[in-house]
Amino acid sequence: MLKKILSISGKPGLYKLISYGKNNLIVESLIDGKRMPATGRDKIISLGDISIYTTENDAPLAEVMKTIHEQNDGKALDPANYKEGAQLHAFLLSVLPNFDEERVYNSDIKKLISWYNILVNSGFDFAAAPEEETPANEAAE
């Protein structure tokens, strides 16, 4: 679900992977739709590879985003409601009750809210089945 949505360090917003170029990726901003190359010098992270620390196993970002989407009826969040640490922690507790409060920082929760709003405003389909990697021998059965 989030494998082709990228965060690029030093660049605002989120980007959709369009294609692979020679020694770079072609990405499209989810905010303004502009396309640009992303090179190997950029720190590029797929949202599908991100998880949130919990007291048990880490929770994949896709599951957390889907829960936020369901709890808010598909509407964007108002960042003004989440400025203080207590508000941020209360928000994440409502979404992920067992998150690790020592390893998840306020800045991480703010980024989660920001990314969620970008995805909602771009019309991202949270209900889509997550992309699962199946080994080649299992896929043939």
Side-chain angles (χ1 to χ4, degrees):
M1 163 168 127
L2 294 176
K3 282 286 186 197
K4 292 188 177 188
I5 305 296
L6 309 173
S7 172
I8 302 174
S9 182
K11 299 187 189 303
L14 293 174
Y15 298 85
K16 180 179 178 182
L17 176 62
I18 301 298
S19 71
Y20 300 92
K22 185 176 180 181
N23 298 327
N24 64 14
L25 301 173
I26 306 301
V27 296
E28 179 179 271
S29 171
L30 292 180
I31 296 174
D32 59 12
K34 291 184 181 178
R35 291 186 180 187
M36 64 180 204
T39 64
R41 291 180 293 196
D42 297 319
K43 184 178 178 185
I44 302 169
I45 300 171
S46 167
L47 266 58
D49 294 336
I50 297 174
S51 60
I52 296 178
Y53 294 118
T54 66
T55 54
E56 291 117 27
N57 297 328
D58 294 349
L61 184 64
E63 290 177 15
V64 176
M65 290 277 196
K66 190 172 182 179
T67 303
I68 295 170
H69 189 260
E70 291 168 358
Q71 286 184 356
N72 293 291
D73 297 323
K75 296 178 184 165
L77 300 169
D78 184 3
N81 294 336
Y82 307 103
K83 290 197 179 226
E84 296 179 14
Q87 295 169 320
L88 293 167
H89 282 255
F91 163 73
L92 195 53
L93 276 172
S94 72
V95 175
L96 188 63
N98 62 340
F99 84 96
D100 189 339
E101 295 187 42
E102 292 180 9
R103 297 193 302 172
V104 177
Y105 301 108
N106 291 344
S107 59
D108 299 328
I109 302 170
K110 286 180 181 179
K111 189 177 290 187
L112 172 67
I113 292 169
S114 172
W115 286 351
Y116 171 77
N117 285 339
I118 291 170
L119 290 171
V120 167
N121 293 333
S122 70
F124 186 78
D125 182 14
F126 289 91
E131 297 168 5
E132 294 181 14
E133 306 226 357
T134 52
N137 60 355
E138 287 182 22
E141 293 178 4

